[in-house]
Amino acid sequence: MTATTHSTLFPQVPETADAVLDGLDPEQREVALALNGPVCVLAGAGTGKTRAITHRIAYGVRAGILQPASVLAVTFTHRAAGEMRGRLRQLGAGGVQARTFHSAALRQLQFFWPKAVGGELPRLLERKVQLVAEAAARCRIRLDRNELRDVTGEIEWAKVTQTVPADYPAVVAKSLRDAPRDPAEIGQIYAMYEQLKRDRSVIDFEDVLLLTVGILQDRHDIADQIRRQYQHFVVDEYQDVSPLQQRLLDLWLGDRDNLCVVGDASQTIYSFTGATPDHLLNFRTRHPGATVVKLVRDYRSTPQVVHLANGLLGQARGRAAEHRLELISQRDPGPEPVYTEYADEPAEAEGTARRIRDLIAAGVPAGEIAVLYRINAQSEVYEQALADAGVPYQLRGAERFFERQEVREAGIALRGAARAGGNDPLLDDAEDLPAQVRAVLSTKGWTTEPPAGSGAVRDRWESLTALVRLAEDFARAKPGATLSDLVAELDERAAAQHAPTVQGVTLASLHAAKGLEWDAVFLVGLTEGMLPITYAKTDEQIEEERRLLYVGVTRARVHLTLSWALSRSPGGRAGRRPSRFLQGLRPGSGSLGPVGSGGASGSVERGSGLRRRGPRGPVLCRVCGATLTEAGAMKLMRCEDCPSDMDEGLYERLRDWRSEQARQLGQPAYCVFTDKTLMAIAERVPTTDGELASISGVGVRKLDRFGAEVLAICAGEECGTDGDED
């Protein structure tokens, strides 16, 4: 054998069963030896869970206790299943089935369908979006591309939670789920979609699980045949199991208990897809005699990173938090996590790019560095900063910013408006470049207020808003710039980022980073409203956002930087606050005392470009005195759920006036004033220009244009609606 054969690329197969156990720590070894009865492995981030369960299977096979063909290991991604199969082969346990839930179910469905139902299995629908679109059209409900994607996701959620169309509206209301459309409408579309599938003899991805469950429930002979085939089951990432997947697992098991599950409730971040940690947390209740092993030795991260991860979970609340694992780092000490505050988002991106360039110069490979953010729309400013710094990068789990459908469509619309110039009536009342961009993008669905909830519609809005902000920054940097100048700038940026994919710094959302790790991780944009995200309202939703940050922290092996910006753009009001999840962890925010292994919890740096101005105090609710963090609440100067003293009659008069103004201007009503601004005016009833100007949303231009009429309406005067069109 050559030396290469003995390398890590071609590891030598252990000679004996006992040799399979070599190198396992005491807890991993306990997992490997627990081959009978129910086993629950609670495995923290970086603790070697895949190593433990693959060595468990391999030891059982090599010792003659398990037959390879009798073992079914299931996980959630093809990547994870492939990795598991590869490790098992290296350990001399080839022949073990390692598959995703859907892959295993589809294989069984294809084999047993002729016997259970007769004929061939109906065609599998590769993409359900087109059929959902047809279902909506038949219900006379119009959906744009992004609403269509969200409604499709909602149907998928309903199916994996075993919710039938008739029950969908009630289940949504009970679960406090943010539906992308009226739940009754989605229920209609869902029912029609199912009808169309039946009419055309097709099945979708979720039907694979549903039909397999149905056959195993109805045909005991087939269920018995599968149970004779598979005697032992292993389920990885058990905290992500949906109710439908759990039902299928129960049917595979029957009345047996040779089941090993592995998971970590603190890494449950996919509840929006139907995943729930309840099955993991209830495992010992369902299986009172289960062997429970906790893996807490963290081999991935330094004590400093682990200390922060433990501290973050130490503040968590709820059932998952009650079962959190306190990790113990097994690595040598490393640098403390760095907390960096910047004046604005561009400064944060530029500072991050500089730090990355320094790390690369110090010998950290670009492929071992990641920038992680909450939503994909945050990527553009980091794409640009890294490109400007000459640092190669790659996006994971999302299209490059300028390749997104909505961004391409916006570019086409802006280019057309630039060519039309003064002949485009859409731009008649747009007084500057940002106003022109807002006017053009409003035809693509952009609004001043974000849509409720998450999903594709929100993602689209975030992308278009990033273009609006870019226009504002461009106009500020180049006074007098035209729409044509902006279009040229966008083209240059797009061209610069269309280089061939290279091995570089990873840009990814926190969700897309699950299961991955890097030497250096930059967690960016950690402000209230972004993490936790604005639409996370309930305690459970807030705690899932905390777990999302925990997943981000535990991706780092050595270097970890956490940063936030006090304002969106240069010169903007520094009204943002660091994420509440950093309270008690970052220096200067109170102390939680020593947590886990590691020492101090890091240092705070001030990013370059921070404006030298006096500190600005928090904005407080004028009703209850609570600190306000959301833009809408700060505009009203009160919490959204605090009592309003709004003059309803005045509000309606202002709305009528706004509608007429919008009609005359040929623009959406929000271009005059948003609903929140009108509410703030109706609550505070200003009597002078100064009082009106102090209300957020009433700038100098709008004060000059509309101020006299608004003050007249507030004073109870009848105000004409055919004023100057300047």
Side-chain angles (χ1 to χ4, degrees):
M1 281 187 190
T2 66
T4 305
T5 309
H6 292 282
S7 74
T8 55
L9 292 176
F10 300 97
Q12 194 170 19
V13 175
E15 294 182 0
T16 65
D18 287 341
V20 171
L21 302 178
D22 291 347
L24 298 182
D25 69 30
E27 293 78 26
Q28 292 171 343
R29 190 182 182 92
E30 188 177 347
V31 171
L33 293 173
L35 292 171
N36 294 305
V39 178
C40 179
V41 183
L42 301 176
T47 57
K49 67 179 178 62
T50 305
R51 177 181 175 83
I53 57 175
T54 52
H55 280 70
R56 175 184 187 272
I57 295 170
Y59 175 74
V61 169
R62 298 289 299 277
I65 300 170
L66 304 178
Q67 295 302 310
S70 73
V71 180
L72 178 60
V74 288
T75 187
F76 285 83
T77 67
H78 290 292
R79 180 183 63 81
E83 179 186 356
M84 194 177 292
R85 286 194 297 270
R87 291 200 190 193
L88 288 169
R89 281 195 300 271
Q90 292 168 2
L91 293 170
V96 172
Q97 291 291 315
R99 296 180 174 273
T100 65
F101 269 101
H102 284 87
S103 173
L106 180 59
R107 196 171 187 221
Q108 293 172 13
L109 196 60
Q110 290 169 330
F111 184 81
F112 289 109
W113 185 268
K115 179 178 179 180
V117 182
E120 292 186 2
L121 180 69
R123 179 174 61 88
L124 183 61
L125 199 61
E126 293 294 332
R127 294 179 70 252
K128 60 173 69 72
V129 170
Q130 290 180 334
L131 204 59
V132 174
E134 184 177 341
R138 292 204 177 195
C139 295
R140 300 182 183 278
I141 298 172
R142 185 172 181 175
L143 302 176
D144 64 27
R145 181 185 291 105
N146 291 282
E147 288 176 319
L148 181 58
R149 200 169 83 190
D150 284 344
V151 170
T152 300
E154 210 53 17
I155 290 173
E156 292 171 351
W157 173 83
K159 297 185 76 165
V160 301
T161 56
Q162 303 177 86
T163 302
V164 298
D167 294 343
Y168 172 79
V171 171
V172 166
K174 184 177 180 181
S175 65
L176 301 177
R177 185 175 177 83
D178 275 328
R181 295 275 301 208
D182 181 337
E185 288 184 341
I186 294 178
Q188 281 182 273
I189 297 170
Y190 179 13
M192 179 58 70
Y193 167 76
E194 292 296 317
Q195 182 62 51
L196 289 174
K197 283 201 292 103
R198 287 191 293 272
D199 293 345
R200 295 173 191 183
S201 297
V202 295
I203 60 174
D204 62 24
F205 202 53
E206 291 71 39
D207 288 332
V208 170
L209 300 184
L210 286 163
L211 290 170
T212 306
V213 164
I215 287 175
L216 296 183
Q217 286 179 158
D218 296 341
R219 292 292 299 267
H220 297 293
D221 56 331
I222 292 175
D224 288 343
Q225 188 173 341
I226 290 176
R227 289 166 191 160
R228 284 194 298 272
Q229 165 81 47
Y230 295 116
Q231 303 290 321
H232 300 272
F233 297 85
V234 177
V235 184
D236 194 13
E237 302 288 3
Y238 193 56
Q239 77 278 353
D240 290 333
V241 165
S242 71
L244 180 56
Q245 289 164 332
Q246 180 62 47
R247 181 67 188 129
L248 177 60
L249 180 61
D250 289 341
L251 287 165
W252 281 340
L253 275 166
D255 58 2
R256 300 165 302 167
D257 62 1
N258 280 328
L259 169 66
C260 174
V261 301
V262 189
D264 179 8
S266 296
Q267 295 188 68
T268 306
I269 58 173
Y270 296 112
S271 67
F272 59 91
T273 66
T276 170
D278 289 347
H279 306 299
L280 176 66
L281 299 178
N282 293 336
F283 191 84
R284 282 170 287 186
T285 302
R286 294 187 66 188
H287 304 278
T291 299
V292 179
V293 183
K294 294 183 179 180
L295 302 183
V296 296
R297 300 174 195 250
D298 188 321
Y299 297 94
R300 175 188 300 159
S301 304
T302 63
Q304 287 74 16
V305 173
V306 166
H307 174 69
L308 175 56
N310 286 337
L312 186 60
L313 283 191
Q315 303 179 72
R317 300 291 179 267
R319 191 164 180 232
E322 293 170 3
H323 295 79
R324 62 181 173 267
L325 300 168
E326 183 142 330
L327 302 177
I328 304 170
S329 176
Q330 305 299 297
R331 294 193 57 158
D332 292 334
E336 296 289 348
V338 176
Y339 301 82
T340 309
E341 183 176 276
Y342 292 94
D344 50 67
E345 288 180 6
E348 184 178 11
E350 291 162 10
T352 300
R354 281 195 302 273
R355 288 180 178 276
I356 288 172
R357 194 171 54 193
D358 292 344
L359 282 174
I360 294 173
V364 180
E368 286 296 341
I369 302 173
V371 178
L372 307 181
Y373 35 75
R374 177 60 179 84
I375 59 173
N376 287 326
Q378 291 173 272
S379 75
E380 193 274 334
V381 68
Y382 291 93
E383 293 176 50
Q384 186 63 45
L386 289 171
D388 290 346
V391 175
Y393 68 88
Q394 56 186 336
L395 267 76
R396 184 179 183 88
E399 298 169 293
R400 292 169 181 264
F401 181 80
F402 286 102
E403 293 172 6
R404 295 173 193 164
Q405 180 70 24
E406 63 269 22
V407 175
R408 290 201 302 267
E409 291 175 355
I412 293 170
L414 291 169
R415 195 171 293 110
R419 281 199 302 267
N423 296 321
D424 190 340
L426 188 67
L427 306 181
D428 285 350
D429 294 294
E431 298 180 356
D432 54 20
L433 176 59
Q436 291 176 342
V437 172
R438 287 191 288 267
V440 172
L441 296 189
S442 67
T443 67
K444 296 297 175 184
W446 181 80
T447 60
T448 54
E449 297 292 334
S454 58
V457 173
R458 178 75 182 221
D459 290 345
R460 177 184 176 88
W461 182 87
E462 295 283 3
S463 294
L464 295 179
T465 299
L467 287 176
V468 171
R469 292 171 176 171
L470 191 150
E472 292 169 348
D473 295 341
F474 186 68
R476 192 177 296 112
K478 297 187 176 182
T482 65
L483 192 55
S484 295
D485 296 331
L486 176 65
V487 168
E489 171 72 11
L490 294 177
D491 287 343
E492 286 183 17
R493 289 182 177 226
Q497 295 173 27
H498 281 170
T501 301
V502 294
Q503 177 65 17
V505 173
T506 298
L507 296 179
S509 70
L510 287 164
H511 281 104
K514 179 76 163 61
L516 304 174
E517 58 186 78
W518 296 270
D519 283 345
V521 169
F522 291 80
L523 301 176
V524 299
L526 302 182
T527 60
E528 284 292 305
M530 188 55 72
L531 197 72
I533 198 78
T534 304
Y535 49 77
K537 302 293 186 185
T538 67
D539 289 345
E540 288 184 5
Q541 291 169 339
I542 295 294
E543 287 305 317
E544 182 150 335
E545 293 286 299
R546 189 194 308 275
R547 294 194 294 270
L548 197 53
L549 180 56
Y550 174 77
V551 166
V553 168
T554 54
R555 299 311 93 193
R557 299 191 192 105
V558 181
H559 304 279
L560 178 62
T561 299
L562 305 93
S563 63
W564 59 93
L566 296 178
S567 70
R568 181 186 62 77
S569 56
R573 185 174 69 86
R576 291 179 172 178
R577 292 192 305 143
S579 169
R580 72 188 71 174
F581 301 144
L582 301 181
Q583 184 68 27
L585 300 176
R586 62 185 178 90
S589 64
S591 175
L592 296 178
V595 182
S597 59
S601 57
S603 60
V604 172
E605 298 183 359
R606 302 291 176 182
S608 62
L610 191 63
R611 289 184 296 157
R612 289 174 173 81
R613 57 180 288 178
R616 194 182 192 101
V619 180
L620 303 180
C621 173
R622 55 192 170 83
V623 180
C624 70
T627 300
L628 302 177
T629 59
E630 296 182 11
M634 288 191 284
K635 182 171 287 189
L636 295 174
M637 295 294 290
R638 64 171 174 81
C639 302
E640 296 276 4
D641 52 359
C642 277
S644 169
D645 53 0
M646 182 175 71
D647 183 329
E648 297 284 352
L650 173 57
Y651 179 65
E652 290 304 320
R653 291 196 300 277
L654 288 167
R655 282 176 59 88
D656 292 343
W657 167 83
R658 181 184 65 172
S659 297
E660 180 58 25
Q661 288 290 330
R663 185 191 66 78
Q664 290 182 13
L665 296 171
Q667 293 184 347
Y670 62 77
C671 290
V672 180
F673 287 119
T674 65
D675 286 347
K676 281 287 197 314
T677 300
L678 290 189
M679 289 175 66
I681 293 171
E683 288 188 354
R684 293 160 70 177
V685 194
T687 59
T688 66
D689 283 353
E691 291 176 358
L692 180 58
S694 70
I695 295 174
S696 177
V698 183
V700 174
R701 186 176 64 84
K702 290 187 177 181
L703 182 66
D704 291 342
R705 186 165 195 170
F706 305 124
E709 293 187 22
V710 170
L711 290 174
I713 295 171
C714 289
E717 300 173 15
E718 290 295 327
C719 184
T721 54
D722 52 359
D724 291 339
E725 292 279 333
D726 40 291

